[in-house]
Amino acid sequence: MSILSASNLSKHYGPDEIFSGISIAIPVGARIALVGPNGAGKTTLLNLLAGIDSPTGGRLNRARGARLSFLPQRPELTGEHSLWHEQLRAFAVLRAKERRLADLEQRMADGDDVSEALDDYGTLQADFERLGGYEYETRIKMALGGLGFSPTDYARLLPQLSGGEKTRAALCRLLLEESDLLILDEPTNHLDIHAVEWLEKYLASFPGALLAVSHDRFFINKFATAVWEIEYGKLRTYRGNYSAFSEQRAAQRETLRHDFYWQQQFMRKEEAFIRRHMGSRLTAQAKGRLKKLETMKKRGAVLESGPRGRKRMVLEMSDHARSGDQVIVTRDLQLGYDAEAPLLSAPDLLVLRGETVAIIGGNGVGKSTLLKTLSGALPPLAGKVHLGAKVRIGYFAQAHETLKADNAVIDEIRAVKALPLSQARDWLGRFLFSGDDVFRPVSSLSGGERGRVALAKLALQGASLLLLDEPTNHLDIDSQEVLQAALAAFDGTILLVSHDRYLVDALATQIWEISPGRLRFIDGDYQTYLRQRNGAIQHEAAQASANSRRGKRSPAYREKRGGLNPFEAAQRTAALEAEIERLEASLNDISRQLDAASLAQDAGMARQLGLAYTQTEAELEAALDEWSRFAV
């Protein structure tokens, strides 16, 4: 049974056709992701299915009595009521029953028609309990918490909420409504990783059907069992999640490319035969072949073209000046905007050339502030940041604040490098800006267009260290895939702040997880981080259970580290830190001597210094390994 279906659906805006001939069905319990390039008509189709807009042609059918909820990209929450009261709207029926129960209780307390009131009360209370009447406030608290709100937010009025907070508030209410069909347009916008993970778990147990537009490939992989792709005004359906869709689409296009090639070869041979033998002794055969070709065309069996390749961004990141092996070293780093209340205290960090560090964590914990501090745009409150030799920084700001609103797109490019006008236009063409688009002011661009301008500028800089703050925000999936491939091929070093787990999973060689006030370092990829995190959660749960059985230990109790008691471990840690500092200074000194020996072309001295550098580096690595076993 279908909750919603459409037959031969089309939509035009004036002379422009957005799509046509779309026929779909959404069965009970469906999990469908709608994907396609920006401007393909995804939001338009959702608006039609949700009843917000009307189709130009075709029919829409909704199952009788089916409840539908729709989250637009920019929901409009109106009214002067609080966040908490906005969520209560999801339980209007339950709250009406609750008020009726209160009225009956009052009647019974007043002695009015007690017998009749008692009968009504019993029936109504059973219905109230069956519908979750005694649990709905708990459900609201869990949903608000999962989407990043704290109890202090409950009383905030809707006009006080930011645009992102309003989107999360609207999403929360829709989830609580538990409709038969939930239609979501970019639901992961404005959600951090923890909130998206909570949403994935919630949707896994959601009883209704789900249709969602999303550019979050990891999210699609988690929830979707079918993918609808809309492009060039047509819609195709694929089974499985995003990874399955990508494989099927690639195989489908390869098959179409193969079929088109061989059909063209066949038709050329047939047409050559017809031209050569029409009017000869083989005229009958030529006429037969001509009739066969005409029949193929009438039946639509002739492929008009091979697979249409979408125009995609062309991006290459070049490391023009190779940096030294040690790219970033920090010591006793504290950062933020108020020395009295640092936003983050970081352990001493070391980033080596060629690594990709993914920085993850909730909103507002200091990820962007950390990047600004490491770039030198924001001075640290305490401690030091040292950049290695020949490190050249390229910085991608989340809000694209490095772009000047009044500048034309082409002016932004020529501010990075004084290219001739024709070359600047060619360069922008790689980023999908053509014709007069290159003269548009930055202020008129969409979020995705601004992102492409920022990437165009970044690619021109030839940086050896890329500091990227949410680079996939507002990019469609095609552009995300291009960016991912470019970063994977980059020879330099990358620090990446991102909620895009697909990108993090593909690129990261280490993870920095930031929580309020602290940074945790994980030496490994995203899957290693997930295993460690899930193991820690399970361990904490088991430990809490064990503690509840045997009582709490004395606060003075501490586990031994490295076979040493806490006092011995602290002494050893201090000694190792002093040794590490000495070895690092020695490496820097040897490096300077090596440069001098190379300039003097003293091969013997360079060989001796090279051996000394290798030995000192090995000692430093051993000291760091031992230090990591003691440091908290």
Side-chain angles (χ1 to χ4, degrees), residues 278-297:
M278 190 68 75
S280 72
R281 63 186 180 84
L282 298 177
T283 296
Q285 290 186 34
K287 287 181 177 180
R289 296 192 182 192
L290 178 60
K291 186 175 182 180
K292 183 178 179 181
L293 289 183
E294 289 173 346
T295 301
M296 286 176 61
K297 291 176 181 178

Side-chain angles (χ1 to χ4, degrees), residues 9-11 19 44-55 60:
L9 210 60
S10 65
K11 183 64 180 178
F19 49 72
T44 300
L45 179 58
L46 290 195
N47 286 336
L48 297 185
L49 298 180
I52 306 299
D53 197 1
S54 300
L60 275 167

Side-chain angles (χ1 to χ4, degrees), residues 581-611:
E581 191 169 352
R582 183 190 67 79
L583 289 169
E584 287 177 338
S586 180
L587 275 179
N588 289 334
D589 183 57
I590 295 171
S591 181
R592 285 193 295 271
Q593 293 181 53
L594 266 171
D595 289 342
S598 298
L599 288 173
Q601 297 184 348
D602 188 341
M605 179 59 71
R607 191 180 304 109
Q608 292 179 21
L609 289 169
L611 292 172

Side-chain angles (χ1 to χ4, degrees), residues 31-35 42-43 46 69-75 143 146-149 163-175 182-204 206 209-224 363 473-474 477 480 499 501:
R31 295 289 188 271
I32 302 167
L34 176 60
V35 303
K42 301 186 297 295
T43 293
L46 290 195
S69 296
F70 175 51
L71 178 77
Q73 279 194 38
R74 297 176 182 84
L147 292 174
F149 290 106
E165 288 171 330
K166 287 181 179 179
T167 299
R168 287 189 281 131
L171 174 61
C172 187
R173 178 172 57 78
L174 294 183
L175 295 176
L182 185 59
I183 299 178
L184 306 175
D185 196 354
E186 293 289 356
T188 60
N189 282 358
H190 310 291
L191 300 185
D192 61 27
I193 285 180
H194 301 305
V196 175
E197 288 177 341
W198 178 89
L199 178 60
E200 289 166 352
K201 291 177 183 176
Y202 190 97
L203 293 177
F206 177 68
L210 172 65
L211 169 62
V213 167
S214 181
H215 291 160
D216 187 330
R217 296 165 289 173
F218 209 97
F219 176 67
I220 295 174
N221 265 354
K222 285 288 187 178
F223 87 83
N363 292 331
N473 272 8
H474 306 294
I477 289 180
Q480 289 179 26
H499 293 153
R501 293 162 297 164

Side-chain angles (χ1 to χ4, degrees), residues 99-109 117 120-121 124:
R99 288 191 295 272
R100 176 63 178 154
L101 284 172
D103 290 342
L104 290 172
E105 289 169 358
Q106 186 61 47
R107 282 176 55 189
M108 290 185 290
D120 292 345
Y121 187 86
L124 186 59

